[in-house]
Amino acid sequence: MALARARGALSVPGHGGHSGAVPLAADASWALLDALIVAALLVAVGGYLRALRSARRRGPWPALRTTSWMLGALCAVAATLGPIAVAAHSSLTGHMLAHLLLGMLAPLLLVLGAPVTLLLRALPVTAARRLTRVLRSAPLRVLTHPVSAAVLNAGGLWALYASDLYGLMHASALVHGIVHLHLLLAGYLLTAALVGVDPDPHRAAIGVRAAVLLAFMAVHSIIAKRVYGAPPAGVEAADAHVASQLMYYGGDVVDVTLLVLLGLAWLRATRPRRAAVPAAA
């Protein structure tokens, strides 16, 4: 509740001449958002652990994947609850740190946790086949394509920093929650489309994924430079400069990690072919 009060105080300025109804309503909406975040964390962690328990009959599950999932959930919570979340309401730099955690690092760790693979191992055969049919559906084929995922991700970032959406998300708990949910889901879709370890019947060729990743890196850098030169309304220049550099260089760290993972995937894909050449000769 303390976090909700801090958010409400930052999000509803200039109401000193009115009754306490607006601040109380703001406190309630932010408190509800915090409760939903906690519930989502419990579902993500508890559901993964339950699936892990159900899948034990199928053999051991890599501990690194479980650790990756838990760290990803921790990054998402750190970006939306606690000191970083509070700082994000008064500082673009704090917001950008939350953005890197929620939109880039958390998705990478969650994808490496291979939740779809674990769920397929945990479900009964009939339910697993139904899930497989959903994964093969045309809408998911479009949504999980690297180009579609990159457009959703980059388009959301451009709308956030090039319009009034940034100010609106700090004045409304509903908009705040929608923006953060989009950051997480769009980041997950893009990361899964590029370097996902789960089964993907529509996985694009490595060349396509590499081209999309390079293009996204360029767009991400352009958005960071725009934040530097034309920050959102109400943001001081010094704050914008630090935030844009954090976005630029912090995003590069995650993007380089994606490049390395994509390179490793390419090596794995070509290794059998290379091994077959001497045998054929």
Side-chain angles (χ1 to χ4, degrees), residues 29-79:
S29 62
W30 289 107
L32 177 60
L33 178 61
D34 292 343
L36 291 175
I37 293 172
V38 172
L41 169 67
L42 294 177
V43 170
V45 173
Y48 195 94
L49 292 176
R50 182 173 180 180
L52 189 60
R53 182 177 180 181
S54 300
R56 287 186 301 180
R57 65 183 185 278
R58 300 289 181 87
W61 181 255
L64 190 58
R65 289 186 176 180
T66 303
T67 302
S68 180
W69 179 266
M70 298 305 167
L71 288 176
L74 182 62
C75 286
V77 171

Side-chain angles (χ1 to χ4, degrees), residues 131-184:
L131 177 59
T132 301
R133 285 196 293 270
V134 172
L135 294 175
R136 293 179 179 275
S137 63
L140 270 187
R141 180 174 186 174
V142 174
L143 191 62
T144 58
H145 192 276
V147 174
S148 303
V151 170
L152 281 173
N153 199 313
L157 292 178
W158 185 264
L160 178 58
Y161 300 120
S163 70
D164 295 331
L165 184 57
Y166 175 77
L168 184 59
M169 70 173 288
H170 294 298
S172 168
L174 176 61
V175 177
H176 188 91
I178 292 174
V179 168
H180 279 72
L181 182 62
H182 178 271
L183 280 175
L184 179 62

Side-chain angles (χ1 to χ4, degrees), residues 55-136:
R56 287 186 301 180
R57 65 183 185 278
R58 300 289 181 87
W61 181 255
L64 190 58
R65 289 186 176 180
T66 303
T67 302
S68 180
W69 179 266
M70 298 305 167
L71 288 176
L74 182 62
C75 286
V77 171
T80 51
L81 295 174
I84 295 177
V86 173
H89 280 264
S90 58
S91 165
L92 182 59
T93 301
H95 162 85
M96 201 60 70
L97 177 58
H99 154 69
L100 291 175
L101 287 173
L102 186 66
M104 301 192 75
L105 185 56
L108 175 59
L109 292 169
L110 292 175
V111 165
L112 295 179
V116 176
T117 302
L118 179 61
L119 185 58
L120 288 172
R121 288 164 59 104
L123 288 174
V125 175
T126 303
R129 288 175 178 171
R130 291 173 183 168
L131 177 59
T132 301
R133 285 196 293 270
V134 172
L135 294 175
R136 293 179 179 275

Side-chain angles (χ1 to χ4, degrees), residues 173-275:
L174 176 61
V175 177
H176 188 91
I178 292 174
V179 168
H180 279 72
L181 182 62
H182 178 271
L183 280 175
L184 179 62
L185 294 182
Y188 185 94
L189 279 176
L190 179 58
T191 306
L194 294 175
V195 297
V197 294
D198 281 321
D200 183 356
H202 312 298
R203 194 179 304 280
I206 288 183
V208 174
R209 287 182 276 161
V212 170
L213 177 55
L214 292 175
F216 178 79
M217 291 172 63
V219 173
H220 196 263
S221 298
I222 292 172
I223 296 174
K225 293 176 181 178
R226 190 191 190 283
V227 171
Y228 187 97
V235 176
E236 296 181 357
D239 187 19
H241 293 172
V242 176
S244 63
Q245 292 178 55
L246 180 60
M247 181 181 184
Y248 188 92
Y249 296 109
D252 279 351
V253 172
V254 179
D255 289 337
V256 168
T257 303
L258 292 175
L259 281 174
V260 171
L261 293 175
L262 194 58
L264 292 175
W266 176 77
L267 287 175
R268 287 193 297 268
T270 58
R271 187 177 299 146
R273 190 181 307 169
R274 290 178 176 179

